Amino acid sequence: MTQVLVAGAGPTGFMMGIELLRRGIAVRVVDAAPGPFEGARGKGVQPRTLEIFDLLGVADMVVASSTLYPYLKLHLGPFSKRLPPLGTHYAPSIERPYPNMLMVPQWRTNQILQERFEALGGKVEYNSAVVAVSQTDKGVTTELATGESVSSDYLVGSDGGRSTVRGLLGGELFGKSLDEKAMVVADLEVEGLDREFWHVWPLNLGGPPSLCPLPLGNLFQLQSPKRHVVDGIEKGVLKTTGQRVTRIAWQSEFKHQTRMVDRYRVGRVFLAGDAAHLHPPSGAQGLNTSTQDAWNLGWKLAAAIKHGEDALLDSYQQERLPIAAAMLNLTGTLHVNTSRQRGELTNHLSLGYSDSPLCVGEAHDGLAPGDRIADRILPDGSRLFDHLRHTGATQLIRRNAPHILIRPDAYVAEISRREASSYYGEPVRKVEID
């Protein structure tokens, strides 16, 4: 029996699979590709995503696979100038254990999440494209290219910017192209190029191309207008850098655009990640927004399946669609203004769901319903995050003060004086904090 079918074996799909398996939901993850994604494309992992990875128990592996964003080196003919990095280099603190955006090749983030998914009993089914979808008020039937017909309670389309699931639903991406330039992104080895810096050549007539050193090997990530490499990546890089490309590991093309769907749910089918929103790479927002889509939806799907909380599923669109709209506005602005400003604008630590119908109560001591819950050290010396690793809600009990009810996805659900015994069908864990 399949309770949830997930189309798309990327970070979003694996996050969805993990969240469902942790809660005892029978889930299958299928993908049209013949094997795992091999490129570094979405390489920026933001602080809030790292906190979520901490709660899943995979943050240490992500951090071990990462580097901080390097300083930029601006090449001006025979001269060069060092510029600040795109990411911060802050020291960790109790409330911000992961204060910086980290650089991790997307293939590695995907690999870490796949390993966690498989450790929970999941299995990825490659060469299994979705070809047809139909649904009733009782369930979804999905036809796969393998010839199999899969019946499930719900279907999640996390199958990327060219989403087949979105197309089969008749979904449309609304928005605009930011320019008409076709861009090339590629992972490659460049002989003799300094790996200490992210190299940028802004005055090149075909530019501005850039070469960023990637962790976990000798690869650089090239980002360049296609017209600069129209005679081939090797010739384009040689012309710009004077250095020879010795290997191209992966390459792709894209255009800068900001587009998104106007609804995340069609009956029993949901869209998540790039299937729901497309954006320029400025600000490293895509992978983070996408995995957080799944982080938001996973516990709600489980509550709907296990406890009949179907109305809860409407809050997925109510909470995540405004986040995606704001992200598209931000990345579009950063791209058009060629801004290098990052940090608080992009780290997702201030994002929350203050307008959510799930919020109850009033703000107290600088914390409001819908806010992200920050880590802290409790009176017994433990970390708050250590108490949030289970699959249900947690209530912080304070003497003579309102209690804080924390949702399964580590956002504040309620601030009040009542003690909650359950939250959407699951028992609430109590933690005394004074």
Side-chain angles (χ1 to χ4, degrees), residues 66-80:
S66 75
T67 60
L68 291 173
Y69 269 59
Y71 281 79
L72 300 173
K73 180 179 279 190
L74 188 64
H75 295 271
L76 305 165
F79 305 102
S80 63

Side-chain angles (χ1 to χ4, degrees), residues 348-383:
H348 291 217
L349 295 178
S350 63
L351 296 183
Y353 307 122
S354 59
D355 295 329
S356 171
L358 305 187
C359 290
V360 178
E362 303 293 334
H364 183 80
D365 286 347
L367 192 66
D371 285 355
R372 152 194 167 260
I373 194 74
D375 201 6
R376 65 183 74 176
I377 299 297
L378 301 182
D380 64 0
S382 64
R383 289 176 60 198

